[in-house]
């Protein structure tokens, strides 16, 4: 089964072709709009939709060529239908449904979060998910701990009650004058710090029971600290980037540890843009995998952030299990709970 995947929920146009029989991405391309949005310090929805329209057709053509395929070879079209920015979702879904209608190929709308959850399976058949497992999605739009009972069956264990982890990386990045998106740029800066700074930031909600997160307090603590500084030089920015990243990662680690203890589940997948962070992977290895003999699965780095491959893969699983869109229905939504 060969599936064309289309992702346009935010500021990446992602197109990929996935062959389920071979468990292989045959072709894959992502156009990232970060340069377009960087001067605004965040994603401008109107600009994002306009750019998806510009890029979606040439990218699809490119990926078909890369894969040595034509539309006649495609068995199904999977597109992100929720959650995300509605204008952007509409571009991907209208494009997918038009192709589906014109070429008589079945289509399926995919929940973006399901795409992130399945992303560690891309190009790696050796990964065996034993159900149930815990999924931690840490992205720009979401911070959720999920119990995956089996494929397509999810329970929410905890989530951020305010900002998502990625959003706070982006906001702190903006405060320090780093380019958008803040996450990878904070990581780069933090890597330059050679010693532990003399100050520290809070690990919010770690003393509160349960598995919810709250990151707005951490964001405000960084803002207050920054405003108090007389010398706002690179040295100070580097120390703040390091201390902030450490507080964020340790908070995530504490909640993961608690999730393991509460559920007694020792398989975890961690996905979404923030899971590309190497310090996070290192600290979670020490605090979680080594300490509790847990398996942590990550997507390959390039599939941590938004991409078409995870949507193609999720579509292939769904379509093999008989799921299809009703023929002419296009339904996109800014919200899109999995539960
Ligand atoms: O999954 P994603 O591409 O989009 C959403 O579904 O939201 O995640 C984007 C987020 C951004 O907030 C970005 O700053 C963050 O992921 N991010 C990172 C890193 N790479 C991307 N955060 C921390 N460290 C990174 N290396
Ligand atoms: Zn995402």
């Amino acid at each position: 089964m060969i599936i064309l995947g289309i992702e346009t929920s935010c500021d990446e146009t992602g197109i990929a072709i996935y062959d389920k029989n071979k468990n292989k991405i045959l072709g894959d391309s992502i156009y990232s709009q970060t340069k377009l949005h960087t001067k605004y310090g965040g994603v401008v929805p109107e600009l994002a939709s306009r750019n998806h329209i510009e890029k979606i057709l040439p990218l699809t053509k490119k990926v078909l060529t890369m894969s040595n395929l034509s539309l006649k070879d495609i068995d199904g079209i999977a597109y992100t239908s929720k959650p995300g920015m509605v204008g952007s979702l509409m571009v991907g879904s209208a494009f997918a449904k038009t192709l589906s209608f014109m070429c008589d190929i079945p289509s399926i709308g995919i929940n973006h979060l399901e795409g992130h959850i399945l992303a560690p399976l891309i190009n790696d058949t050796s990964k065996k998910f034993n159900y149930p497992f815990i999924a931690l999605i840490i992205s720009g739009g979401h911070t959720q701990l999920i119990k995956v009972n089996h494929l397509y069956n999810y329970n929410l264990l905890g989530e951020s009650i305010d900002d998502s982890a990625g959003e706070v990386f982006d906001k702190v990045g903006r405060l320090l004058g780093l380019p958008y998106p803040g996450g990878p740029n904070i990581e780069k800066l933090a890597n330059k710090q050679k010693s532990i700074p003399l100050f520290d930031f809070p690990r919010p909600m770690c003393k509160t029971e349960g598995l919810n997160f709250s990151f707005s307090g951490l964001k405000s603590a960084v803002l207050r600290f920054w405003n108090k500084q007389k010398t706002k030089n690179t040295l100070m920015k580097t120390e703040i980037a390091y201390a902030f990243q450490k507080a964020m990662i340790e908070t995530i680690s504490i909640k993961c540890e608690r999730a393991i203890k509460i559920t007694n589940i020792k398989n975890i997948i961690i996905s979404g843009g923030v899971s590309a962070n190497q310090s996070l992977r290192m600290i979670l290895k020490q605090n979680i995998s080594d300490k509790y003999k847990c398996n942590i699965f990550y997507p390959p780095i390039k599939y941590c952030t938004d991409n078409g491959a995870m949507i193609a893969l999720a579509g292939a699983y769904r379509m093999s299990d008989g799921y299809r869109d009703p023929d002419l229905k296009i339904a996109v939504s800014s919200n899109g709970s999995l539960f």
Side-chain angles (χ1 to χ4, degrees):
M1 178 181 262
I2 296 181
I3 304 292
L4 171 69
I6 299 169
E7 156 62 34
T8 62
S9 66
C10 190
D11 59 345
E12 256 101 28
T13 317
I15 305 285
I17 295 177
Y18 173 69
D19 184 334
K20 185 160 189 289
N21 304 340
K22 297 185 183 149
N23 187 27
K24 194 164 180 255
I25 299 296
L26 305 179
D28 172 27
S29 190
I30 299 171
Y31 181 82
S32 172
Q33 304 177 355
T34 48
K35 273 203 189 117
L36 181 70
H37 300 289
T38 201
K39 65 171 175 264
Y40 305 101
V43 180
V44 182
E46 172 75 18
L47 292 182
S49 329
R50 285 169 186 262
N51 200 263
H52 284 307
I53 290 186
E54 228 175 81
K55 297 293 175 330
I56 200 161
L57 244 170
L59 271 187
T60 306
K61 199 160 174 239
K62 175 175 157 192
V63 171
L64 281 165
T65 310
M66 266 170 136
S67 317
N68 253 328
L69 297 173
S70 76
L71 282 171
K72 285 199 287 301
D73 304 306
I74 303 295
D75 300 307
I77 301 172
Y79 62 95
T80 305
S81 57
K82 58 186 177 184
M85 298 187 308
V86 169
S88 292
L89 289 170
M90 282 190 327
V91 175
S93 57
F95 177 66
K97 296 296 281 191
T98 309
L99 271 186
S100 155
F101 179 63
M102 298 303 289
C103 306
D104 202 19
I105 305 170
S107 67
I108 181 150
I110 295 293
N111 186 311
H112 182 79
L113 300 178
E114 189 164 88
H116 276 308
I117 290 176
L118 296 179
L121 289 175
I122 299 172
N123 286 350
D124 193 348
T125 36
S126 67
K127 286 201 177 98
K128 290 208 171 45
F129 285 179
N130 292 320
Y131 295 97
F133 63 84
I134 295 169
L136 170 67
I137 300 179
I138 32 177
S139 68
H142 293 83
T143 301
Q144 288 189 335
L145 267 165
I146 296 163
K147 182 175 169 215
V148 183
N149 300 307
H150 49 83
L151 208 51
Y152 323 130
N153 185 313
Y154 309 101
N155 291 126
L156 181 66
L157 297 172
E159 65 184 336
S160 176
I161 57 167
D162 40 55
D163 294 356
S164 72
E167 201 177 342
V168 176
F169 264 105
D170 294 339
K171 286 177 179 166
V172 171
R174 197 182 327 161
L175 184 73
L176 300 181
L178 303 176
Y180 173 83
N185 291 305
I186 286 186
E187 179 176 20
K188 250 185 248 158
L189 195 58
N191 283 343
K192 294 190 179 145
Q193 179 65 22
K194 297 290 174 248
S195 56
I196 297 176
L198 294 173
F199 55 87
D200 201 6
F201 294 121
R203 278 88 177 123
M205 269 183 83
C206 288
K207 294 206 173 94
T208 315
E209 268 183 45
L211 295 171
N212 281 341
F213 301 82
S214 163
F215 293 119
S216 70
L218 172 57
K219 179 186 67 185
S220 313
V222 178
L223 177 67
R224 276 195 306 274
F225 185 82
W226 174 251
N227 286 342
K228 271 197 268 163
Q229 297 313 306
K230 291 202 177 75
T231 10
K232 294 179 173 164
N233 56 16
T234 309
L235 224 63
M236 177 48 66
K237 286 185 187 178
T238 310
E239 286 194 325
I240 293 178
Y242 178 93
F244 158 72
Q245 180 177 273
K246 189 164 186 288
M248 172 64 91
I249 294 173
E250 286 181 6
T251 306
I252 291 171
S253 172
I254 289 166
K255 295 289 173 168
C256 280
E257 188 169 351
R258 200 176 286 174
I260 294 166
K261 286 185 183 157
I262 291 175
T263 61
N264 208 19
I265 294 173
K266 299 225 165 148
N267 285 315
I268 308 181
I269 78 105
I270 305 185
S271 190
V274 181
S275 72
N277 189 292
Q278 293 301 319
S279 303
L280 175 123
R281 292 185 180 209
M282 213 172 68
I283 292 178
L284 290 185
K285 183 179 178 314
Q286 286 162 9
N287 293 358
I288 307 289
S289 342
D290 296 351
K291 190 164 161 198
Y292 292 93
K293 305 276 170 280
C294 277
N295 300 309
I296 303 188
F297 302 105
Y298 295 95
I301 296 288
K302 89 180 245 212
Y303 298 125
C304 287
T305 44
D306 294 348
N307 63 85
M310 68 185 195
I311 302 303
L313 184 128
Y317 275 75
R318 285 247 174 210
M319 283 194 160
S320 315
D321 288 333
Y323 290 88
R324 299 281 185 280
D325 267 359
D327 256 5
L328 297 174
K329 194 169 162 245
I330 301 188
V332 297
S333 163
S334 57
N335 306 312
S337 167
L338 280 173
F339 317 103

